[in-house]
Each structure stands twice: as structure tokens, then as C-alpha cells.
Amino acid sequence: GCTAKQSTDTSERWVEVEGRRLKLTRLEKQLWPGITKAELIKYYAEMSDFILPYLRSRPMTLHLYPDGIEGKHFFRKEAPEFTPDWVRRFPYRAEDGKLINYILCGDRPTLIWLANLANIEFPITLSRIEDLEHPDLVVFDLDPFQPATFRDACMVALVLRDGLRQLGLQSWVKTSGATGLHVLVPVAPKYTFQQTREFVRRLGKMLESLMPEVLAEFRPVEERKGRVLIDFGQNSLGKTITAPYSLKPLPLAPVSTPLDWTELEKELDPREFNMHNILERVKGGGDILKPVLETPQTLDRAFEALGMG
DNA sequence: GGTATCA
DNA sequence: TGATACCAACGCTCT
DNA sequence: AGAGCG
Ligand SMILES: [Mn+2]
Ligand SMILES: [Mn+2]
């Protein structure tokens, strides 16, 4: 941490990405302890083929950390005035009547432009711009509360996967990048968030009755301790989850990483999956989560089994 | 991070 | 030239 | 009611 060096960091570089000229600025600035903005940009450049399919067709909320993970940060929905004209936008009028011009990040130039703005984390909505009110993803957001651990979340996820399979549903899993897991169920975009949320709540309740360490809804702090919360509320319009392969603004630069179900049985630490080793991991294996974008499933049978008219 | 506004 | 302000939003919990 | 959190 050399403050004097930081304040005089004028390192700049012009690059061309798929025909777009981009000015990369303050490349030596430290965004994590020991990690520069140059490394952030390099990470997303190398991972672009893996992350872009998930970002494409979903309105972006920017998560900007110009002063690093310990500095002031802010979110942004409205595309800034200085957004290059070739960046695609999606105007959307929310219920309150406010029109927001969202950025669409579907190509490498936009991804690199955002990385240069110190956009560390890339979130995704659970629905696409073609039909924002009908999600194509259902998420079981598994949050362990101390002394429950990531390992406990893995155990819950494995039981959840069995439950989903009994309902005729395939599921996939990734680390959240922080302390828990996201179990994803891709669906045809024909259900409302109210329906998918209720589906997650009910299956969560069922799991809760099977496993004492599971909590299907928020409770006072004392009751949460040592349990894994299934946060069904994540399945709502406008809510987001960390995109697969996105970095998190946390120490060691962890990555939200797709896992094979067999890996959940091992002793894992989510911090094992970070900026420095994910490229190696996906090289060869490819994107094991990709089916999530290509497997629209129907929930009709599951609704029936769970008593949802 | 980039821009606007005010001293 | 430099200091300051802006940039989302919603339900939940805790006090 | 309001602050704090995710
Ligand atoms: Mn979570
Ligand atoms: Mn959560």
C-alpha cells in the first residue's frame, strides 16, 4: 500500500476490443490488497466467453468500486451520460413510472469498458429483458449463519437436489462467491415471481421439516445461529444474484463458481475459488453451468405436488 | 470513475 | 485548481 | 419511526 504511488498513478493504455477503441485508466490502482485494476480487467477479458452468456439480455446494475473494495462504492442503474454510444441500452419503466435506461452487457467491449470503471461485481436478474416479469431462473439462495458453515450449505444443497429430482426437476449449483450457495432451476418464462417464490418457500419448508439445520424463512438472530437459511425472497422482480464467474468485492477476490454436484461432498472452502485459479479450472472442463441457459423446465407438476393451485 | 458545479 | 456531490432500492430486523 | 443490513 503505497499511497503516494497511487495518487500519481497515471498509467493509461488504449486498446481495441472487437473494433471499439477503449481508454484504460489508472491500471496500477489497487482494488484489492495486492490486486490492481489491470488484473481485474485481465480477468474479465480472459473470462468473457464464460460470463457474457449470463449477462446478455439482463439489465445491468453497476457495482462500482473506484477506490477499491475498502473504499466508497455505489450502485448505478441509469446509464451514465458518458456511456459510449455503441453500448446497448434497455429503457424500462418501473411500476413507479420512473424510466431507467439500463446498460446491456452482451459483448466484450462493454464488459471491458465496465471493468475499467472498476465494476468489480456483475449481478444478474432472474428474468430476461424479453419478459422481465416471468423469470427463466429459480434460485434457492442458501445462506449459512455461524456456526453453520459452507459445508452445511453443501449438505443442504445435496438434499435439495434430491427433492427437486423427485419433482422431475434438474438443478445446478454454484458458490455465491461469499459464504453460501446458489442452487439454480431453469424454467420456461411463463410463471410469475410470486409463483416461483412460493414454490421455493414451500420446498424450503419441506426441507426444514426434514433437516433441523434448515430455516425456510427469516427468524430472529438467535434462531438463525447454526442454520442454513433458504432465502426465498431472492425470487423477486428487480432482485439480483451474483453472476456465475463474477468476482466479489471481498478479500482474496473470490469468484462465484459453478460446481459439479460430486464436489459438494468434499471439504470445500469457497475462498478456494478466486481470481487467480478460475481460468485454469474452466480451461478444458468448459462451463458446467451452461445447461442453466438451455433447459427451460416446467413447474406444473411441482406446483401440484406442493399443493399450489 | 467520470462528470458537473461551485469556490 | 481543487473540493464536493452524485450515481438503487426494497423488505427485513433490530432498537 | 428510523437506522442498518444484504
Ligand atoms: Mn446468498
Ligand atoms: Mn440471501
PDB file of all heavy atoms in Angstrom, chain A residues 141 143 218 229 231 234, chain D residues 6, ligand 2:
ATOM      1  N   ASP A 141     -31.398 -19.684  -2.633  1.00  0.00           N
ATOM      2  CA  ASP A 141     -30.268 -18.942  -2.079  1.00  0.00           C
ATOM      3  C   ASP A 141     -29.976 -19.493  -0.687  1.00  0.00           C
ATOM      4  O   ASP A 141     -30.741 -19.277   0.240  1.00  0.00           O
ATOM      5  CB  ASP A 141     -30.644 -17.450  -2.035  1.00  0.00           C
ATOM      6  CG  ASP A 141     -29.598 -16.591  -1.356  1.00  0.00           C
ATOM      7  OD1 ASP A 141     -28.414 -16.975  -1.345  1.00  0.00           O
ATOM      8  OD2 ASP A 141     -29.981 -15.530  -0.821  1.00  0.00           O
ATOM      9  N   ASP A 143     -27.947 -19.494   2.573  1.00  0.00           N
ATOM     10  CA  ASP A 143     -27.079 -18.647   3.398  1.00  0.00           C
ATOM     11  C   ASP A 143     -26.816 -19.303   4.747  1.00  0.00           C
ATOM     12  O   ASP A 143     -27.721 -19.364   5.579  1.00  0.00           O
ATOM     13  CB  ASP A 143     -27.740 -17.277   3.639  1.00  0.00           C
ATOM     14  CG  ASP A 143     -27.945 -16.486   2.363  1.00  0.00           C
ATOM     15  OD1 ASP A 143     -27.147 -16.656   1.426  1.00  0.00           O
ATOM     16  OD2 ASP A 143     -28.913 -15.695   2.305  1.00  0.00           O
ATOM     17  N   PHE A 218     -36.990 -15.989   7.358  1.00  0.00           N
ATOM     18  CA  PHE A 218     -36.256 -15.197   8.340  1.00  0.00           C
ATOM     19  C   PHE A 218     -36.847 -15.341   9.734  1.00  0.00           C
ATOM     20  O   PHE A 218     -38.053 -15.359   9.918  1.00  0.00           O
ATOM     21  CB  PHE A 218     -36.244 -13.723   7.932  1.00  0.00           C
ATOM     22  CG  PHE A 218     -35.127 -13.398   7.005  1.00  0.00           C
ATOM     23  CD1 PHE A 218     -35.319 -13.405   5.630  1.00  0.00           C
ATOM     24  CD2 PHE A 218     -33.861 -13.116   7.491  1.00  0.00           C
ATOM     25  CE1 PHE A 218     -34.278 -13.120   4.760  1.00  0.00           C
ATOM     26  CE2 PHE A 218     -32.813 -12.835   6.642  1.00  0.00           C
ATOM     27  CZ  PHE A 218     -33.022 -12.836   5.273  1.00  0.00           C
ATOM     28  N   LEU A 229     -30.140 -20.723   5.964  1.00  0.00           N
ATOM     29  CA  LEU A 229     -31.379 -20.067   5.537  1.00  0.00           C
ATOM     30  C   LEU A 229     -31.595 -20.246   4.037  1.00  0.00           C
ATOM     31  O   LEU A 229     -30.686 -20.025   3.233  1.00  0.00           O
ATOM     32  CB  LEU A 229     -31.308 -18.573   5.859  1.00  0.00           C
ATOM     33  CG  LEU A 229     -32.470 -17.719   5.335  1.00  0.00           C
ATOM     34  CD1 LEU A 229     -33.755 -18.032   6.096  1.00  0.00           C
ATOM     35  CD2 LEU A 229     -32.157 -16.233   5.428  1.00  0.00           C
ATOM     36  N   ASP A 231     -33.280 -18.425   1.416  1.00  0.00           N
ATOM     37  CA  ASP A 231     -33.799 -17.064   1.292  1.00  0.00           C
ATOM     38  C   ASP A 231     -34.693 -16.952   0.059  1.00  0.00           C
ATOM     39  O   ASP A 231     -34.271 -16.475  -0.996  1.00  0.00           O
ATOM     40  CB  ASP A 231     -32.605 -16.104   1.216  1.00  0.00           C
ATOM     41  CG  ASP A 231     -33.023 -14.651   1.285  1.00  0.00           C
ATOM     42  OD1 ASP A 231     -34.236 -14.376   1.367  1.00  0.00           O
ATOM     43  OD2 ASP A 231     -32.126 -13.789   1.241  1.00  0.00           O
ATOM     44  N   GLN A 234     -35.332 -13.916  -2.618  1.00  0.00           N
ATOM     45  CA  GLN A 234     -34.488 -13.556  -3.753  1.00  0.00           C
ATOM     46  C   GLN A 234     -35.230 -13.667  -5.084  1.00  0.00           C
ATOM     47  O   GLN A 234     -34.852 -13.037  -6.069  1.00  0.00           O
ATOM     48  CB  GLN A 234     -33.248 -14.456  -3.803  1.00  0.00           C
ATOM     49  CG  GLN A 234     -32.152 -14.045  -2.831  1.00  0.00           C
ATOM     50  CD  GLN A 234     -31.577 -12.687  -3.145  1.00  0.00           C
ATOM     51  OE1 GLN A 234     -31.316 -12.357  -4.286  1.00  0.00           O
ATOM     52  NE2 GLN A 234     -31.387 -11.887  -2.114  1.00  0.00           N
TER      53      GLN A 234
ATOM     54  P    DG D   6     -24.938  -7.628   6.317  1.00  0.00           P
ATOM     55  OP1  DG D   6     -24.449  -8.785   7.085  1.00  0.00           O
ATOM     56  OP2  DG D   6     -24.007  -6.619   5.768  1.00  0.00           O
ATOM     57  O5'  DG D   6     -25.820  -8.172   5.110  1.00  0.00           O
ATOM     58  C5'  DG D   6     -26.946  -9.006   5.376  1.00  0.00           C
ATOM     59  C4'  DG D   6     -27.638  -9.299   4.072  1.00  0.00           C
ATOM     60  O4'  DG D   6     -28.396  -8.134   3.650  1.00  0.00           O
ATOM     61  C3'  DG D   6     -26.685  -9.614   2.913  1.00  0.00           C
ATOM     62  O3'  DG D   6     -27.282 -10.593   2.088  1.00  0.00           O
ATOM     63  C2'  DG D   6     -26.577  -8.280   2.180  1.00  0.00           C
ATOM     64  C1'  DG D   6     -27.986  -7.741   2.363  1.00  0.00           C
ATOM     65  N9   DG D   6     -28.077  -6.287   2.291  1.00  0.00           N
ATOM     66  C8   DG D   6     -27.114  -5.362   2.633  1.00  0.00           C
ATOM     67  N7   DG D   6     -27.510  -4.123   2.473  1.00  0.00           N
ATOM     68  C5   DG D   6     -28.819  -4.248   1.996  1.00  0.00           C
ATOM     69  C6   DG D   6     -29.763  -3.260   1.628  1.00  0.00           C
ATOM     70  O6   DG D   6     -29.645  -2.039   1.664  1.00  0.00           O
ATOM     71  N1   DG D   6     -30.953  -3.824   1.196  1.00  0.00           N
ATOM     72  C2   DG D   6     -31.203  -5.172   1.122  1.00  0.00           C
ATOM     73  N2   DG D   6     -32.404  -5.534   0.677  1.00  0.00           N
ATOM     74  N3   DG D   6     -30.338  -6.110   1.457  1.00  0.00           N
ATOM     75  C4   DG D   6     -29.167  -5.579   1.885  1.00  0.00           C
TER      76       DG D   6
HETATM   77 MN    MN E   2     -29.719 -14.040   0.940  1.00  0.00          MN
END
